[in-house]
Amino acid sequence: MKKIVITEFMDEAAVASLRTAFNVVYDPRLVDDAARLMVEVPDADAVIVRNRTQIRGELLAACARATVIGRLGVGLDNIDVAACEARGMQVIPATGANALAVAEYVIGTAMVLLRGVYLSSETVASGQWPRAALSNGREISGTCLGLVGFGGIGRLTARLAQGLGMRVMAHDPMLAPGSPVWQETGVQCASLEELIAQADVVSLHVPLTPGTANLLSAQRIAQMKRGAVVINTSRGGIADEAAVAAALREGCLGGAAFDVFEPEPLGAGTPWEGCPNAILTPHVAGVTAESNVRVSTLIAAAVARALKA
């Protein structure tokens, strides 16, 4: 019976489906037990991971028998894809399965940060009544959403935003200005400079590569509209976090929602500590009860097919 090692959390029903045909080692704590992980993977035919398990270097070398790497998500920066393919391993991401969760996170946090009233519960409960101070929040309708990256998640986010009356522009160097996708979606094709200067909400939807590292630099942050909101659900390292935090403290930016960081988890001396108008979440934008089922079911089926082929 072929063996599958699952190193991070996965929907139990999907795990159970794999157990009907395979020898499954499932422990969501395995990612943090390097010694045990190195013992379990050498005779595994497939390894299923989320974003924390690093399939590269020593761990990749230990996967002597594996032919399939399943990724419970879409980002592949924790997997040395080229090295896997060179070893004959098929890398399978859960493309599209968590797109709705991410898109809703972007729209939800944008609404919270633009309105600016939802983080005052403790103040109101204490008997204070900051009605005047909290009466200048902005409606999302009529604002401009700038999407940096216009793949599947970006396009779904655009559709939700348009339903709320937002104007949407996007920058994606992989899409030509004459691509039919712009007319089909009703989204304006823009240069990065145009987007940065015009958007009320800037949302990042690109993978971390040498070309996208520090894409939202301190210089570009300084060019954003005063009071603009920045949202990062892509990867840490794409935005200059210290520059975003400084702009929030100075009142130049109106808010930020960051789900990804460099490093993860945050360490001592992080620029985010005590930062105003910031929503910080632990890399869960794409993880909901529903998306976990979709992602897990998709990967379980895909890995099973690959092993049976």
Side-chain angles (χ1 to χ4, degrees), residues 86-104:
R87 294 167 62 101
M89 294 177 174
Q90 182 181 1
V91 178
I92 306 174
T95 304
N98 66 353
L100 181 59
V102 178
E104 287 190 354

Side-chain angles (χ1 to χ4, degrees), residues 78-135:
N78 62 311
I79 301 173
D80 188 337
V81 177
C84 286
E85 292 176 345
R87 294 167 62 101
M89 294 177 174
Q90 182 181 1
V91 178
I92 306 174
T95 304
N98 66 353
L100 181 59
V102 178
E104 287 190 354
Y105 177 101
V106 172
I107 298 301
T109 55
M111 293 180 80
V112 168
L113 292 167
L114 287 170
R115 190 67 184 269
V117 300
Y118 301 107
L119 305 179
S120 60
S121 297
E122 187 175 343
T123 301
V124 174
S126 72
Q128 299 180 59
W129 203 247
R131 191 166 186 266
L134 296 179
S135 295

Side-chain angles (χ1 to χ4, degrees), residues 73-229:
V74 293
L76 297 175
D77 50 291
N78 62 311
I79 301 173
D80 188 337
V81 177
C84 286
E85 292 176 345
R87 294 167 62 101
M89 294 177 174
Q90 182 181 1
V91 178
I92 306 174
T95 304
N98 66 353
L100 181 59
V102 178
E104 287 190 354
Y105 177 101
V106 172
I107 298 301
T109 55
M111 293 180 80
V112 168
L113 292 167
L114 287 170
R115 190 67 184 269
V117 300
Y118 301 107
L119 305 179
S120 60
S121 297
E122 187 175 343
T123 301
V124 174
S126 72
Q128 299 180 59
W129 203 247
R131 191 166 186 266
L134 296 179
S135 295
N136 294 313
R138 290 172 287 171
E139 298 173 359
I140 200 167
S141 180
T143 60
C144 176
L145 171 64
L147 299 167
V148 181
F150 199 51
I153 294 175
R155 294 177 202 187
L156 182 51
T157 304
R159 195 173 78 195
L160 296 183
Q162 289 166 331
L164 291 168
M166 297 186 84
R167 178 171 67 90
V168 184
M169 57 170 50
H171 169 73
D172 193 324
M174 302 302 291
L175 292 171
S179 170
V181 72
W182 303 112
Q183 186 172 0
E184 291 169 359
T185 59
V187 171
Q188 176 189 344
C189 175
S191 69
L192 184 57
E193 290 68 28
E194 290 172 330
L195 186 151
I196 292 294
Q198 296 181 35
D200 299 288
V201 178
V202 173
S203 186
L204 305 177
H205 297 278
V206 292
L208 179 60
T209 67
T212 63
N214 201 40
L215 185 69
L216 192 61
S217 61
Q219 181 180 4
R220 288 193 170 113
I221 291 165
Q223 295 167 353
M224 292 177 65
K225 292 174 68 172
R226 187 171 187 84
V229 167

